[in-house]
Amino acid sequence: MNGDTHDYSRIYVAGAAGMLGEAVLAACSQHYEVEASDIAPRTDAMSFLDVADAELFAKAVDAFEPDLIVNLAAETDLELCEHDPERAWASNAVGAENGARIAERLGVPYVYISTAGIFGGDQEWYSDDDVPDPLTVYARSKLHGERFVQQHVRRHFVLRPGWMMGGGPDLDKKFVNKVYRQIRDGATTVRAVTDLLGSPTYTHDFARGLLLVARSGHYGTYNQVGGGTASRYDVALALVDDLGLSDQVEVVPVTSEYFAEAYFAPRPASEQLVNARLRERGLDVMRDWRVALEEYSEVFRRDLERHRRPR
Ligand SMILES: NC(=O)c1ccc[n+]([C@@H]2O[C@H](COP(=O)([O-])OP(=O)(O)OC[C@H]3O[C@@H](n4cnc5c(N)ncnc54)[C@H](OP(=O)(O)O)[C@@H]3O)[C@@H](O)[C@H]2O)c1
């Protein structure tokens, strides 16, 4: 079956209320019947599900009878994971296992989202088969999930995004929105680190790629990140430029030492990935992060206009 094209009709999406969930639901709802759930449902159309609850997870999936299961559920706050490793393990590792067992029992493909953060950071770039060396509770819990899925689900797709960006002012929990909020609140100086490198990954590009890979029937593990090289400083500078504020907001380069107290979980010096396997198989739809951010910035430009309009 590996390599056959495969299409679906009913997709179960867990962890659908998050920043990636927004893009995945948008992509899936165009073509498929979708059941979406989350531990904190955002709309009435979403049901409640804690993926760590094996029985509830199985009941919900069985009732929907999907032909594809996509598990996006995770505790993604690195500091919270360090503070509460049990919660991190339940959502990220046990949740991954529960979904894997259900998929294997039903004989349907399973998509699990891992992370570029499983790598240790001593290489500048990481390819699909490089050896992981997780530095944090979050990364260890995600690596456990990825390995369990690889070992127990024959028809698995493990996809690794980099620094996620997407969801706009309301849903984006990560760096781009953290910078944006400072600007919206009137900051004229924003500090961003130069000594951490990563691969910014736009949720809408990632969701498009997810569906393409899942339809390809090429089961396996894939790096799937935006193209190009970036430090946090590069991303902040690009956002300020896209917002047309380069003459009003100064981006000041700092080292990660500056944020050591607030962001105490260790970050790899580099979590830049290469989508080598996707490219080999002709499945790489990821755009350069700079192009994707320019498109994504539009939602922040509109939001900023609304906030700055005199009332
Ligand atoms: N964000 C990133 O930078 C990043 C980078 C690499 C990989 N990833 C991976 O990408 C996937 C999607 O994450 P995201 O970026 O969309 O993050 P997100 O916005 O935090 O979304 C994750 C969603 O899962 C929910 N959730 C947490 N624990 C759950 C549980 N036990 N059962 C059901 N739902 C649960 C979260 O609810 P709460 O908000 O209430 O916790 C949230 O709605 C995750 O697997 C994540 O590990 C994310």
Side-chain angles (χ1 to χ4, degrees):
M1 176 89 200
N2 202 18
D4 291 351
T5 52
H6 194 99
D7 216 346
Y8 305 99
S9 58
R10 299 168 69 76
I11 305 184
Y12 189 92
V13 185
M19 50 196 284
L20 181 57
E22 182 219 28
V24 167
L25 291 188
C28 289
S29 314
Q30 290 176 25
H31 307 285
Y32 308 109
E33 198 79 42
V34 176
E35 172 73 17
S37 67
D38 198 278
I39 200 164
R42 203 160 33 80
T43 66
D44 290 345
M46 264 178 220
S47 47
F48 169 84
L49 174 70
D50 177 352
V51 291
D53 184 335
E55 209 174 309
L56 197 62
F57 199 171
K59 250 192 206 160
V61 175
D62 287 356
F64 184 62
E65 299 184 353
D67 43 24
L68 177 69
I69 300 171
V70 177
N71 183 4
L72 310 175
E75 180 47 70
T76 56
D77 182 319
L78 268 59
E79 277 65 38
L80 202 149
C81 289
E82 296 296 316
H83 271 309
D84 193 347
E86 277 178 26
R87 176 168 160 188
W89 200 260
S91 293
N92 302 355
V94 176
E97 288 185 14
N98 289 340
R101 287 196 188 91
I102 297 165
E104 199 49 16
R105 172 171 58 77
L106 298 178
V108 301
Y110 182 51
V111 177
Y112 175 69
I113 312 301
S114 182
T115 172
I118 59 169
F119 294 109
D122 44 2
Q123 290 177 211
E124 196 177 351
W125 294 94
Y126 288 91
S127 193
D128 308 84
D129 292 328
D130 282 334
V131 180
D133 180 17
L135 304 180
T136 59
V137 168
Y138 172 72
R140 283 191 288 279
S141 65
K142 295 298 293 184
L143 180 60
H144 176 90
E146 127 160 15
R147 288 195 167 143
F148 189 92
V149 173
Q150 289 159 345
Q151 285 160 18
H152 294 88
V153 186
R154 273 162 300 158
R155 301 165 76 194
H156 68 259
F157 302 100
V158 172
L159 298 176
R160 300 186 189 124
W163 294 343
M164 201 76 87
M165 48 182 197
D170 296 333
L171 287 182
D172 190 329
K173 295 175 178 165
K174 295 292 172 173
F175 181 72
V176 171
N177 200 21
K178 285 180 182 165
V179 172
Y180 172 69
R181 283 188 180 159
Q182 294 175 53
I183 295 170
R184 193 178 67 184
D185 292 347
T188 53
T189 301
V190 169
R191 288 181 172 72
V193 311
T194 51
D195 57 348
L196 298 179
L197 301 176
S199 301
T201 302
Y202 186 36
T203 52
H204 288 279
D205 289 354
F206 189 89
R208 210 155 67 83
L210 184 159
L211 279 183
L212 185 72
V213 173
R215 282 177 184 144
S216 76
H218 282 294
Y219 305 115
T221 298
Y222 297 91
N223 293 347
Q224 185 175 266
V225 299
T229 177
S231 67
R232 297 289 194 194
Y233 174 75
D234 296 328
V235 177
L237 213 53
L239 177 68
V240 168
D241 187 38
D242 289 342
L243 293 173
L245 296 175
S246 297
D247 56 345
Q248 296 168 46
V249 178
E250 186 191 2
V251 182
V252 177
V254 295
T255 66
S256 35
E257 196 53 37
Y258 184 87
F259 290 110
E261 210 173 309
Y263 297 113
F264 58 84
R267 266 83 177 162
S270 173
E271 41 189 317
Q272 298 186 118
L273 303 190
V274 185
N275 301 339
R277 187 165 291 129
L278 285 179
R279 272 184 219 154
E280 263 164 39
R281 297 186 173 174
L283 296 170
D284 188 5
V285 297
M286 300 302 290
R287 293 177 294 173
D288 192 277
W289 72 266
R290 190 65 197 80
V291 176
L293 178 59
E294 195 176 351
E295 181 179 306
Y296 179 37
S297 298
E298 186 55 37
V299 65
F300 294 108
R301 265 202 298 272
R302 285 200 303 271
D303 189 71
L304 198 58
E305 262 173 38
R306 266 198 308 278
H307 272 81
R308 294 196 168 170
R309 206 174 289 149
R311 287 159 204 255

